Amino acid sequence: MIPALEVRDLTRRFGNFTAVERLSFSVQRGEICGFIGPNGAGKTTTMRICSTLDLPDHGDVFISGESVLEQPRRVRRKLGFMPDAYGAYSNTTVADYLDFFARSYGLRGEEKSRTIARLVEFTSLGHMLEKLTTALSKGMKQRLCLAKTMLNDPDLLILDEPAAGLDPRARIELRELVKALAGMDKAILISSHILSELGETCDSVVVIEEGRLKAAGNVSQMTEGIQRERSRVLLRALVDPQALLRAVLEEPHVEGARVERGGVVLDLPGGAEGLARLVEALVKRGVRLTEFRQEKLDLEEVFLSMTDGRVQ
Amino acid sequence: MSAASRFLERVGNLPIWNRIADRGNAILVKELRQSMRGRYFAVIFWLTLAIATMIGMMTFVFQDGGRADTTGTAFFLAMFGCLTFASNLFVPFAAFSSFGAEWEENTLELLLLSNLEPRQIILGKLLSAAVQTLLYTLAFGPFLVLAFLLRGLDLGVAFGLLLFVLLSSITLSAVAVMLSTLARHKVARALLMALMAVALVAFSFATVAFGSEQLFFSRSVFSDRFVLLVFLTIAAVVVSYCVAFGCTRLAHPEENRSTTLRVLTTCCLLALLGWAAFGFQESGGDDEVLYAFGSVAFLLLAVTSALFCSEPERLGRRVRLWVPDNRLLALLSGAFFPGGGRGTLYMVMNSALLIGGFAVVLGYAAPGFPYDQVIGFLLALTAYMFVYVNLPALLFSPFSKKLTRRIACRIAVPLFAFLVFFVPTVTAFALDLRRPFNHAGNPAWAMNEFAHGRADGALIVGLAIAFLVVLVFNLPRIGRGLGELVAEHGRRQTPGRTAAPESLAVPALALEHPEESGDARPQP
């Protein structure tokens, strides 16, 4: 099956500075892919190339099999890009805004009206149609921008920091919209710094740093892979947490131990073997454990373990 | 919102209008809706009409001694002044701000992504300005009719002036939109806006003065049947260049930003050639017409070639797709592809086209005409323009990748021409020589010598040597430019140049050692 998005050996240089280097990954239809990396990692550059706004020095990007390099106009018909900076027109209502972009995408007459009505319903903008776009709240602007992005019924949606600046409620609503879009068999590439959000929304993630691919794959597979190498454990005992912490710190290989939630949370390398060794050592020291729980790593942990935080 | 705006909005929402709008330019529809809803247009529109009414009444009241023969003309001039300021000042200014707002409000990329072509965007802005001008003209209609009823008004001149204002408004709006595409940054935009405001005010005053002169004093230029055609040609050329240049500004640097301008320049040169032939015939064989049109044509070629010859040599990745599959066709079209070397080739080819064209014009229009003088003049002009453009371009070509160096090269062209004139002149003054301005570095003197058949052998040989030296040194650039096209053609003939996306075997999840493979495919 042709992937909705295929980034192939992508390189982009700005003078002597390499923003993206030999980057390759793909996203299938119906998949939500998180695109994460520290600031300056090359996420926006990659997204701009994917959306035909920039051109690579080497490599290519294919949207449903069409090359952004060779067929930019055909690619734009299959693509919806929501940039981080939302563009609103002065003296333009929500209805006029959608009407204008629908015309720009070549929609006419009944087809245009039907498409706008469907998207207005999907994004719950019905009561806002006569409001000026400049008077909308950030959350409503994001909804409007999402509606605009979907006017051409794209195969792939590229969302650059869509949750930035949104309040918790708007974030949850956006998350639900994104999930609903994936349910419509659309591929979604979404970048965000709110990794907890991405972890709940995404099927897969692509991690880049300094323009290079660090990891890519299924979120749960990645967390499991990291957990095989390193575990996070919550310990509770019949002693004071500070005393427990002192006992734990006497053990070698223990990292980042701290008092938290009435117990001690620590990171331990070595997977199951390491865990067994720790329990054995604590029991030998006479620590009477009441709880020993291995905690699930989230996307934030995955990200931190894979990147060094280097900024170009 | 004013009552008129509400009325216009209601009219705009009629189903029939929606059906018409569906077929029109999307930007035009958006711009008109924005204008109708916004304050700028409404305020300026009603204010202009109010001021026009006041000025009209004052003109009517204070007309000296009620001289009926000039009342209509004076009233028309007052209205013409108001219309000129509205159309030539406010409309282009609004066009400039409208495009500037696209940069400011981050909407330009949304437009480009929505599959609108740069050409549609620029034309949409321009059409919106044209519609506004038309609205102003229509609003002034009753005043103009009143001016006619007051008697004393020459209708031919009045229509000529109205057409002139309409044309100049559209042309100035095109220039304003083009300038706006140049200024992405706020400071640059503010600076350009200030400069433009000064220029537009000056132009508006000049237009009113021109109107006054046409109405009251001299024999009107509009009595000549070709004058409006000349205005129309000039407006068409300026608007075409502004649209083409604006489009190139909206395209990515790796895209083809040059071919449209090159084709347009060749078309303009052919149009000039046509005008020269027509003018030559109409004037009964006056060779001054040929000198004038020849000079304008070569000047246009030199100015545009200064842009083309300083372009980076390498073909952009998307431009390579334009290279024809046929090898011969690829070579023949070489001069129209972007790149400095190909720019030099373009200049040579178009110079040859002009000289050949003028020879044909002379041959057909005046078979017995001694055309060696005219052709000599054009050859000398070619040599001057070629050296002025291509020597700096040659020196700057290794650095043409950077925009700042390209700009430096473009500035170097007139600077070089000035130095070639200035240094020998100053030296001649210093040495107290006779006629310090009469030297080969002064093209005005040299061209005058050629036009009058007085050019001496030294001047001819010197120019020929300068031309040949610059051409020979530029030949490797031209060769490299054409070589790149041939290489691209050869690359296309190589089988398996681009694997189909389906055939790509992307390695599965590269979680363990992503750096080694540099490749991964997420698995949902």
Side-chain angles (χ1 to χ4, degrees):
Chain A
M1 195 172 69
I2 300 173
L5 167 68
E6 187 177 316
V7 176
R8 197 194 289 181
D9 215 14
L10 199 71
T11 301
R12 178 73 173 109
R13 295 186 196 92
F14 297 100
N16 295 327
F17 169 74
T18 305
V20 179
E21 196 175 355
R22 300 183 70 82
L23 183 68
S24 298
F25 63 89
S26 64
V27 183
Q28 300 291 343
R29 288 183 78 115
E31 180 185 338
I32 305 175
C33 178
F35 194 40
I36 57 179
N39 286 334
K43 298 188 298 289
T44 300
T45 303
T46 306
M47 287 180 147
R48 285 175 62 80
I49 293 171
C50 292
S51 53
T52 73
L53 288 173
D54 199 359
L55 280 167
D57 292 302
H58 184 263
D60 204 345
V61 175
F62 296 91
I63 311 288
S64 298
E66 305 277 7
S67 156
V68 295
L69 198 66
E70 297 184 8
Q71 303 288 353
R73 284 183 67 77
R74 275 159 77 170
V75 163
R76 281 174 203 148
R77 281 191 211 119
K78 298 177 174 185
L79 170 94
F81 178 52
M82 192 165 134
D84 54 348
Y86 160 82
Y89 285 113
S90 55
N91 303 316
T92 303
T93 62
V94 169
D96 280 351
Y97 187 84
L98 290 175
D99 181 80
F100 162 61
F101 278 106
R103 282 175 210 273
S104 308
Y105 280 116
L107 298 175
R108 302 276 182 265
E110 269 301 298
E111 190 194 3
K112 182 186 72 182
S113 311
R114 267 203 312 274
T115 307
I116 292 175
R118 187 167 48 81
L119 290 173
V120 163
E121 193 188 332
F122 178 71
T123 49
S124 310
L125 282 168
H127 59 295
M128 297 274 173
L129 286 175
E130 290 309 312
K131 262 200 156 186
L132 290 176
T133 54
T134 41
L136 294 178
S137 67
K138 175 88 183 172
M140 282 298 146
K141 277 180 182 169
Q142 289 297 65
R143 278 167 181 269
L144 176 61
C145 202
L146 191 63
K148 180 218 81 75
T149 308
M150 289 179 59
L151 277 165
N152 57 332
D153 192 20
D155 294 345
L156 169 73
L157 280 156
I158 298 176
L159 313 178
D160 193 3
E161 300 281 350
L166 294 187
D167 62 38
R169 188 181 183 81
R171 278 219 294 265
I172 292 165
E173 286 170 353
L174 183 74
R175 195 170 66 202
E176 294 311 312
L177 283 177
V178 169
K179 280 182 178 168
L181 285 170
M184 295 173 184
D185 208 28
K186 305 214 177 290
I188 296 159
L189 182 70
I190 179 167
S191 85
S192 177
H193 283 126
I194 307 163
L195 299 182
S196 53
E197 292 279 329
L198 280 185
E200 287 174 44
T201 319
C202 297
D203 305 307
S204 60
V205 285
V206 172
V207 185
I208 66 166
E209 190 174 35
E210 291 184 309
R212 282 189 289 270
L213 185 77
K214 296 297 271 189
N218 187 294
V219 177
S220 55
Q221 278 179 8
M222 284 175 114
T223 48
E224 279 166 22
I226 288 173
Q227 265 174 333
R228 273 198 293 276
E229 295 168 7
R230 188 169 67 93
S231 310
R232 173 161 299 168
V233 180
L234 168 71
L235 295 177
R236 286 201 181 103
L238 285 177
V239 290
D240 171 55
Q242 291 297 339
L244 179 60
L245 179 66
R246 281 194 295 276
V248 165
L249 286 174
E250 281 177 28
E251 285 303 309
H253 311 303
V254 169
E255 293 168 3
R258 61 205 174 268
V259 174
E260 210 177 286
R261 285 173 275 158
V264 171
V265 176
L266 56 98
D267 291 334
L268 199 66
E273 183 64 30
L275 291 175
R277 268 205 310 271
L278 176 71
V279 175
E280 196 181 347
L282 289 175
V283 170
K284 270 187 187 167
R285 282 178 204 280
V287 177
R288 297 166 73 195
L289 291 170
T290 56
E291 193 175 345
F292 187 97
R293 193 167 70 207
Q294 189 180 357
E295 301 218 308
K296 207 170 172 237
L297 291 176
D298 58 12
L299 198 56
E300 229 161 56
E301 300 297 331
V302 173
F303 177 70
L304 288 173
S305 70
M306 285 183 173
T307 58
D308 308 319
R310 284 197 296 266
V311 178
Q312 294 193 87
Chain B
M1 194 188 287
S2 68
S5 296
R6 272 200 298 275
F7 170 73
L8 286 171
E9 200 187 331
R10 214 165 292 156
V11 170
N13 285 332
L14 289 175
I16 177 115
W17 167 244
N18 268 330
R19 275 201 293 277
I20 295 167
D22 269 353
R23 310 230 164 264
N25 183 304
I27 298 279
L28 170 66
V29 178
K30 177 196 77 100
E31 289 289 319
L32 290 181
R33 282 184 177 169
Q34 268 184 297
S35 301
M36 293 306 141
R37 258 208 196 92
R39 279 197 200 136
Y40 180 84
F41 180 74
V43 168
I44 297 286
F45 186 81
W46 292 116
L47 202 67
T48 311
L49 284 187
I51 291 172
T53 312
M54 266 164 48
I55 294 176
M57 281 164 69
M58 281 161 66
T59 315
F60 194 62
V61 170
F62 295 112
Q63 181 64 20
D64 58 334
R67 277 178 56 200
D69 58 330
T70 56
T71 311
T73 311
F75 189 78
F76 176 84
L77 183 63
M79 293 306 109
F80 176 73
C82 293
L83 181 61
T84 298
F85 274 90
S87 314
N88 286 0
L89 179 63
F90 299 127
V91 173
F93 209 74
F96 182 90
S97 312
S98 163
F99 201 93
E102 302 284 357
W103 293 122
E104 214 155 281
E105 291 162 359
N106 293 312
T107 45
L108 193 67
E109 289 191 340
L110 297 183
L111 294 184
L112 293 171
L113 277 173
S114 65
N115 243 347
L116 282 174
E117 297 223 33
R119 177 175 42 85
Q120 287 171 290
I121 298 172
I122 303 268
L123 278 178
K125 300 275 178 194
L126 195 55
L127 283 173
S128 155
V131 169
Q132 286 184 37
T133 306
L134 215 61
L135 279 177
Y136 277 116
T137 313
L138 289 177
F140 274 86
F143 295 109
L144 303 176
V145 171
L146 182 63
F148 173 67
L149 292 175
L150 289 172
R151 285 180 298 171
L153 180 65
D154 183 337
L155 265 187
V157 178
F159 277 118
L161 284 173
L162 286 179
L163 208 64
F164 177 78
V165 167
L166 206 70
L167 280 179
S168 58
S169 172
I170 293 169
T171 310
L172 290 171
S173 300
V175 174
V177 172
M178 187 271 285
L179 286 176
S180 191
T181 62
L182 292 173
R184 282 184 192 220
H185 299 291
K186 265 186 180 173
V187 180
R189 222 170 20 247
L191 205 70
L192 263 179
M193 208 181 244
L195 284 173
M196 215 181 67
V198 173
L200 289 176
V201 168
F203 187 85
S204 299
F205 273 116
T207 306
V208 176
F210 170 69
S212 155
E213 200 253 345
Q214 292 297 305
L215 286 164
F216 286 109
F217 305 110
S218 65
R219 181 179 160 270
S220 168
V221 292
F222 297 108
S223 57
D224 190 327
R225 61 199 163 120
F226 299 116
V227 163
L228 278 176
L229 209 58
V230 171
F231 283 151
L232 203 67
T233 310
I234 293 170
V237 168
V238 176
V239 169
S240 305
Y241 267 106
C242 288
V243 171
F245 198 74
C247 291
T248 66
R249 294 291 308 163
L250 298 189
H252 191 276
E254 286 281 305
E255 296 204 55
N256 193 343
R257 292 170 135 195
S258 192
T259 298
T260 315
L261 280 171
R262 291 183 191 217
V263 172
L264 179 64
T265 303
T266 302
C267 291
C268 287
L269 294 179
L270 288 173
L272 274 168
L273 208 55
W275 268 108
F278 178 74
F280 187 60
Q281 192 125 37
E282 281 289 308
S283 64
D286 183 1
D287 58 353
E288 291 292 326
V289 174
L290 297 181
Y291 291 132
F293 276 101
S295 303
V296 172
F298 274 98
L299 200 65
L300 175 68
L301 181 61
V303 171
T304 48
S305 295
L307 297 177
F308 305 147
C309 295
S310 54
E311 283 172 350
E313 302 291 345
R314 190 182 66 85
L315 280 179
R317 288 190 76 189
R318 225 173 244 169
V319 187
R320 284 184 213 158
L321 304 168
W322 288 44
V323 178
D325 284 333
N326 184 298
R327 191 190 170 107
L328 182 68
L329 212 60
L331 276 174
L332 285 177
S333 60
F336 289 90
F337 275 92
R342 288 177 287 269
T344 304
L345 179 65
Y346 175 85
M347 197 174 181
V348 172
M349 277 176 64
N350 279 277
S351 301
L353 173 84
L354 278 177
I355 293 168
F358 275 100
V360 170
V361 167
L362 280 166
Y364 273 100
F369 193 86
Y371 58 81
D372 53 336
Q373 215 160 293
V374 177
I375 299 300
F377 173 88
L378 294 175
L379 281 171
L381 204 54
T382 305
Y384 270 109
M385 296 303 171
F386 188 81
V387 173
Y388 283 159
V389 171
N390 283 288
L391 192 60
L394 178 71
L395 297 174
F396 277 87
S397 67
F399 319 108
S400 60
K401 270 186 191 168
K402 286 199 170 177
L403 178 68
T404 46
R405 311 271 165 86
R406 289 203 293 277
I407 293 172
C409 176
R410 286 157 194 173
I411 294 169
V413 171
L415 196 68
F416 171 65
F418 175 73
L419 286 177
V420 166
F421 161 74
F422 185 71
V423 173
T425 307
V426 170
T427 313
F429 267 116
L431 296 176
D432 205 18
L433 295 178
R434 280 178 61 221
R435 300 196 191 99
F437 292 104
N438 297 0
H439 56 83
N442 179 1
W445 169 80
M447 297 322 299
N448 192 42
E449 294 296 291
F450 276 101
H452 292 96
R454 294 194 303 254
D456 59 14
L459 181 62
I460 295 169
V461 171
L463 268 179
I465 288 174
F467 173 78
L468 284 174
V469 166
V470 175
L471 180 64
V472 166
F473 276 102
N474 269 292
L475 281 178
R477 282 177 77 213
I478 299 174
R480 277 197 300 274
L482 291 177
E484 201 181 357
L485 293 173
V486 175
E488 177 57 26
H489 175 264
R491 205 172 68 86
R492 282 211 198 149
Q493 303 306 310
T494 315
R497 179 179 65 97
T498 313
E502 295 93 315
S503 68
L504 181 83
V506 180
L509 182 67
L511 182 61
E512 255 91 37
H513 305 289
E515 292 88 347
E516 283 174 24
S517 69
D519 201 342
R521 165 182 278 186
Q523 293 174 343

